[in-house]
Amino acid sequence: MKVEFWYEFASTYSYPAAMRAAREAGAAGVDLVWRPFLLGPIFGAQGWNDSPFNIYPAKGRYMWRDMARICEAEGLTLEKPAIFPQNGLRAARLAVLGADEDWMPEFSRRVYLANFAEGKDISDRAVLSAILTSLDLDAAALIEQANEQPAKDKLRAQNEEAVAKGIFGAPSFVVGGELFWGNDRMEEAFAWAKR
């Protein structure tokens, strides 16, 4: 059974999820399908013009403390980005370009590390170029493709699919028609897939 892993590069809880998803899926014996998307349009449809972690300061303070505990338990570095949430549009377009390529999960993990462990600007072409180059990919060609209409259309379609599936936050896991929201629901999603 396949489990769709829906993630947004600016999403804090998607960071630890992305770093452990392949390992946990392998241990559970399920196929993982990486599905990048954007939360901005989904939040906008709910009347939010920012992350709920910024709109509700108490929730934001809790989230950063919770993330610190999760990352410590997972052995992950956590550095709060200078700007939160970051603009993950270009990274998401690159990820949808690589949807069927072996490099895409590792690219996604490295974008998360750049964002939440290294304090880098993931909207910066140079940051993404360095990640692509580190994967022995043609960074200039891929970044050019990411700016072209087919990549834009593919990401837009992916976002529309997320909305149609009822996704409202990240990370989300979809098994058939079942939605599991949150890093802490990953194992439950994998268990459901094996039922």
Side-chain angles (χ1 to χ4, degrees), residues 147-187:
N147 289 327
E148 294 172 354
Q149 198 60 46
K152 295 176 182 180
D153 292 344
K154 190 170 182 180
L155 181 58
R156 186 176 297 109
Q158 190 119 304
N159 251 61
E160 289 169 359
E161 186 179 347
V163 170
K165 290 177 183 271
I167 293 173
F168 56 87
S172 289
F173 301 88
V174 177
V175 185
E178 292 289 329
L179 174 64
F180 299 83
W181 172 53
N183 175 51
D184 58 345
R185 293 294 181 264
M186 182 186 300
E187 288 81 0

Side-chain angles (χ1 to χ4, degrees), residues 41-193:
I42 292 172
F43 286 170
Q46 297 175 39
W48 296 342
N49 63 358
D50 198 351
S51 165
F53 296 126
N54 289 338
I55 294 170
Y56 306 104
K59 188 172 190 170
R61 284 190 300 275
Y62 172 82
M63 178 273 294
W64 287 113
R65 182 63 198 126
D66 192 38
M67 278 291 296
R69 291 189 299 257
I70 291 167
C71 289
E72 181 180 346
E74 287 290 320
L76 297 172
T77 299
L78 178 65
E79 181 178 324
K80 185 177 178 181
I83 297 171
F84 174 79
Q86 286 207 47
N87 182 343
L89 175 62
R90 183 176 282 149
R93 286 183 184 159
L94 286 164
V96 297
L97 282 178
D100 299 321
E101 304 293 335
D102 291 341
W103 56 263
M104 198 270 265
E106 184 59 23
F107 168 78
S108 297
R109 287 187 288 267
R110 291 185 191 193
V111 171
Y112 278 112
L113 289 170
N115 187 359
F116 292 111
E118 300 165 4
K120 294 180 180 174
D121 178 356
I122 61 167
S123 70
D124 187 333
R125 179 185 175 117
V127 169
L128 296 171
S129 181
I131 292 170
L132 293 166
T133 300
S134 74
L135 296 169
D136 296 323
L137 298 168
D138 185 341
L142 285 167
I143 289 173
E144 184 177 325
Q145 287 177 31
N147 289 327
E148 294 172 354
Q149 198 60 46
K152 295 176 182 180
D153 292 344
K154 190 170 182 180
L155 181 58
R156 186 176 297 109
Q158 190 119 304
N159 251 61
E160 289 169 359
E161 186 179 347
V163 170
K165 290 177 183 271
I167 293 173
F168 56 87
S172 289
F173 301 88
V174 177
V175 185
E178 292 289 329
L179 174 64
F180 299 83
W181 172 53
N183 175 51
D184 58 345
R185 293 294 181 264
M186 182 186 300
E187 288 81 0
E188 186 178 345
F190 294 165
W192 188 273

